[in-house]
């Protein structure tokens, strides 16, 4: 009994050190609505309901504007740009990202600014635009304290620009930061897939991929099986099919990828 | 001679006039009968609707928008059942199969109702003469309005309940708030009784949650919310036996306390989900929902702090992950 009392005392003291009674929260309903809609939009994006995601982010932007919360406005513009980019509306996405940068700049919000700038740079890299040089090399050097999504975006951009060291460092940072929740594990899976790409690009002249590529790919597939993410899984299976040297096993990978692709297509058409 | 010629000429003319007149009448009769299908082969189908008020003799019977016959007879059977005979053209019989039904269709808001026959199962046998077809009621605007009334009333009730849930969660003197405050207070003291009191509060909250979830389950519109509440109630329920276990097994107390914290965390996540659901359901609630969510976030932070403390053995565990408000960056293939 004494041992239990002692343990509880220590437990409570540890908590007390971290917590004080907070003041009664007063919430701006428009702010709450903007956050709720942003959350629902991210969820819709995850479920590949892109038009719904766009509509939710548009409403989120409207609510953030009504709340006059510039941080949320910048976030909503970034999210809206992401939904527009996914839907293939590059022009609208570019405008949204540019507005997000402007908004974040006005409030000296370095994180939001970097997030939108990286998204814009990635958009330009993936298109055939001539604005690719807009982003400076400093963009890729993300402070460690920045959120995980910014590191992942920087890693991807560095990878596209063949700056392997920076990309590897940023992917490593993503893996360090990734939590154990679904979102964290999904980020980790994305980072592993990025590292597979990096390892493949460093393949020897004989074309044999490094063992590390397979290691990262297996980790990504394992994580994706835990958290679910059919689009990422499809990407992983396609990578495996490309990397596999044995024709019989390659065919197996291809068949699995085709099955996922077919199921995804069917799910979309329902 | 001249008079005879004149008379015979007149007779001829009158004869022609009469012949042409009779011919025209016969031709008109022929056309009329052909167009009205008076002499076409027909067959009869019967239908027994609950009321004959929308039917009348001579009313057109349609199939796919084409008139294929008319209502031939309406009669009240000895047992009070309505029986309506539909006289249909035989040439359309091949299109009507077993499984076909009769319904009343209103082409416009103010137009007269038509009797319509459906084709039935095209793979089944054709309908025989004298077959009795089922009558299907088509929802009219008036019926829809009547049906909507209780649904609107239900929605009102549900909304009221959601508001009360939100207020209850947000009530500074409410169980959840007090439970949170008690946990907080407990962290400042050494009295184990405070923790027990907290558990009791949470347990009471579970009962209240259960009651609410049952109420909402009765209303199908709130099924999703009710499920969330049910899960929450389950989480809350599990806390009490855990504390008993904690009391009995002092050597394993540390591990058990970590599990308790884990449950508290699950609870707060579940409640967060409810708050988000409520936020999605109606635009009037976000403020209240958000405030209750803040209370839950506080509980989650508390649970997180305990878990991450050195005592919980998780100080070095990385917990940071992507914000649920931020869309992940774009990647090839996976968007």
């Amino acid at each position: 009994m004494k041992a239990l009392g002692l343990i509880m005392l220590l437990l409570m003291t540890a908590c007390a050190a971290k917590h004080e009674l907070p003041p009664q929260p007063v919430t701006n309903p428009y702010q709450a609505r903007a956050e709720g809609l942003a959350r629902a939009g991210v969820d819709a994006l995850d479920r590949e309901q892109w038009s719904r995601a766009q509509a939710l982010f548009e409403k989120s932007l409207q609510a953030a504007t009504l709340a006059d919360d510039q941080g949320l406005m910048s976030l909503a513009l970034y999210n809206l740009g992401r939904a527009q980019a996914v839907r293939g509306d590059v022009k609208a996405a570019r405008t949204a990202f540019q507005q997000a940068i402007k908004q974040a700049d006005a409030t000296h919000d370095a994180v939001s600014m970097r997030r939108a700038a990286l998204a814009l740079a990635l958009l330009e890299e993936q298109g055939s635009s001539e604005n690719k040089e807009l982003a400076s090399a400093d963009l890729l050097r993300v402070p460690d304290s920045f959120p995980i999504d910014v590191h992942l975006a920087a890693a991807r951009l560095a990878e596209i620009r063949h700056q392997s060291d920076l990309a590897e460092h940023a992917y490593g940072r993503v893996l360090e930061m990734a939590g154990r929740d679904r979102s964290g594990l999904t980020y980790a899976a994305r980072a592993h897939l990025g590292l597979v790409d990096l390892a493949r690009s460093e393949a020897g002249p004989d074309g044999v991929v490094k063992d590390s590529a397979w290691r990262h790919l297996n980790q990504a597939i394992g994580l994706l099986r835990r958290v679910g993410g059919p689009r990422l899984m499809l990407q992983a299976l396609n990578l495996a099919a490309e990397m596999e040297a044995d024709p019989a096993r390659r065919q197996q990978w291809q068949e699995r990828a085709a099955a996922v692709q077919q199921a995804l297509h069917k799910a979309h058409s329902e | 001679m001249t008079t005879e010629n004149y008379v015979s000429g007149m007779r001829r003319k009158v004869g022609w006039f009469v012949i042409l007149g009779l011919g025209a009448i016969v031709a008109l009769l022929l056309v009329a009968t052909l167009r009205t299908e008076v002499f076409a082969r027909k067959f009869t189908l019967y239908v027994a609707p609950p009321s004959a008020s929308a039917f009348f003799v001579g009313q057109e019977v349609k199939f796919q928008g084409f008139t294929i016959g008319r209502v031939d007879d309406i009669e009240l059977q000895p047992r009070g059942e309505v029986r309506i005979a539909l006289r249909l053209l035989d040439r359309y019989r091949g299109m009507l199969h077993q499984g076909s039904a009769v319904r009343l269709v209103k082409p416009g808001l103010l137009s007269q109702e038509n009797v319509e026959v459906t084709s039935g199962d095209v793979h089944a046998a054709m309908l025989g003469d004298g077959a009795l077809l089922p009558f299907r009621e088509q929802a009219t605007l008036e019926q829809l309005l009547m049906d909507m009334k209780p649904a609107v009333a239900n929605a009102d009730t549900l909304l009221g309940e959601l508001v009360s849930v939100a207020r209850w969660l947000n009530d500074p003197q409410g169980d959840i708030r007090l439970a949170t405050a008690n946990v907080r207070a407990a962290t400042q003291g050494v009295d184990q009784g405070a923790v027990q009191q907290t558990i009791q509060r949470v347990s009471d909250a579970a009962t209240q949650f259960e009651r609410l979830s049952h109420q909402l389950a009765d209303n199908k519109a709130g099924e999703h919310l009710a499920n969330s509440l049910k899960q929450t109630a389950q989480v809350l329920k599990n806390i009490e036996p855990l504390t008993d276990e904690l009391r009995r097994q002092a050597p394993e107390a540390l591990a058990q306390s970590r599990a308790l914290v884990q449950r508290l965390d699950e609870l707060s996540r579940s409640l967060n989900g409810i708050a988000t659901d409520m936020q999605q359901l109606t635009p009037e609630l976000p403020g209240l929902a958000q405030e209750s969510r803040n209370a839950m976030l506080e509980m989650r932070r508390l649970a997180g702090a305990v878990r991450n403390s050195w005592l919980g053995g998780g100080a070095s565990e990385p917990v940071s992950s992507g914000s649920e408000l931020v869309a992940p960056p774009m990647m090839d293939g996976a968007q």
Side-chain angles (χ1 to χ4, degrees), chain A residues 48 193 217 221 224 229-242 253-265, chain B residues 332-334:
Chain A
E48 301 193 356
L193 287 176
L217 187 61
I221 289 174
L224 290 170
R231 190 68 62 180
L232 285 168
M233 182 61 91
L234 179 62
Q235 192 188 347
L237 294 173
N238 281 329
L239 274 173
E242 285 170 22
W253 287 115
Q254 283 169 341
E255 281 170 3
R256 282 167 65 185
V260 174
Q261 170 97 57
Q262 206 175 349
L264 261 173
H265 183 72
Chain B
D332 285 344

Side-chain angles (χ1 to χ4, degrees), chain A residues 1 4 7-16 18-19 21-22 24-25 27 32-33 35-36 38-40 42 45 50 75 78-79 82 85-86 97 115 119 122 126 148-149 152-153 156 171 176-181 183-184 187 190 231-232 235, chain B residues 170 172 177 181 184 186-192 195 246-247 250 253-254 257 261 269 276 279-280 283 286-287 290-291 293-294 298 301-302 305-306 308-311 317-335:
Chain A
M1 199 63 194
L4 174 67
I7 287 163
M8 290 309 289
L9 168 69
L10 286 169
L11 180 76
M12 292 162 188
T13 315
C15 291
K18 292 209 173 196
H19 282 272
L21 277 172
Q24 182 73 19
T27 311
R33 185 167 166 73
E35 283 180 6
R39 197 173 292 110
V42 172
L45 211 57
W50 294 313
L75 181 68
Y78 162 79
N79 282 336
R82 280 289 293 113
V86 171
F97 290 143
R115 180 181 284 133
L122 276 168
Q126 287 176 357
I148 191 169
D149 65 289
L152 185 64
R156 180 65 190 146
Y171 280 133
E176 279 170 22
M177 293 178 80
R180 302 261 172 94
D181 57 344
S183 169
Y187 270 104
R190 285 171 190 265
R231 190 68 62 180
L232 285 168
Q235 192 188 347
Chain B
N170 195 39
R177 280 301 187 92
R184 222 180 283 123
T187 62
Q188 293 165 347
V190 294
D191 183 13
Q192 195 192 339
V195 175
L246 191 74
R247 207 179 303 127
L254 184 60
S257 67
V261 166
R269 277 167 197 274
T276 312
Q279 207 161 334
Q280 289 297 311
Q290 182 64 24
E291 285 188 28
R293 191 172 158 265
N294 284 341
E298 177 59 25
R301 272 198 291 274
L302 184 68
V306 176
N308 293 331
S309 68
W310 64 269
L311 195 65
E317 186 183 331
V319 289
S320 160
S321 60
S323 162
E324 51 191 7
L325 300 182
V326 184
M330 68 184 86
M331 310 288 276
D332 285 344
Q335 305 298 340

Side-chain angles (χ1 to χ4, degrees), chain A residues 52-133:
Chain A
R52 183 167 181 266
Q54 185 175 335
L56 286 164
F57 289 142
E58 278 166 2
K59 284 183 186 169
S60 172
L61 176 61
Q62 192 183 33
T65 310
L66 289 170
D68 195 31
D69 186 325
Q70 304 209 28
L72 270 177
M73 280 164 75
S74 173
L75 181 68
L77 280 164
Y78 162 79
N79 282 336
L80 181 60
R82 280 289 293 113
Q84 287 165 334
V86 171
R87 294 188 75 195
D89 192 351
V90 177
K91 199 177 162 189
R94 186 182 296 127
T95 311
F97 290 143
Q98 283 166 347
Q99 283 178 333
I101 294 170
K102 208 172 151 188
Q103 192 75 50
D105 192 26
T107 51
H108 309 290
D109 181 352
V111 171
S112 296
M113 202 169 144
R114 183 66 68 94
R115 180 181 284 133
L118 281 166
L120 182 62
L122 276 168
L123 186 75
E124 304 300 2
E125 286 289 346
Q126 287 176 357
S128 56
S129 169
E130 293 171 358
N131 300 331
K132 289 182 183 177
E133 297 308 317

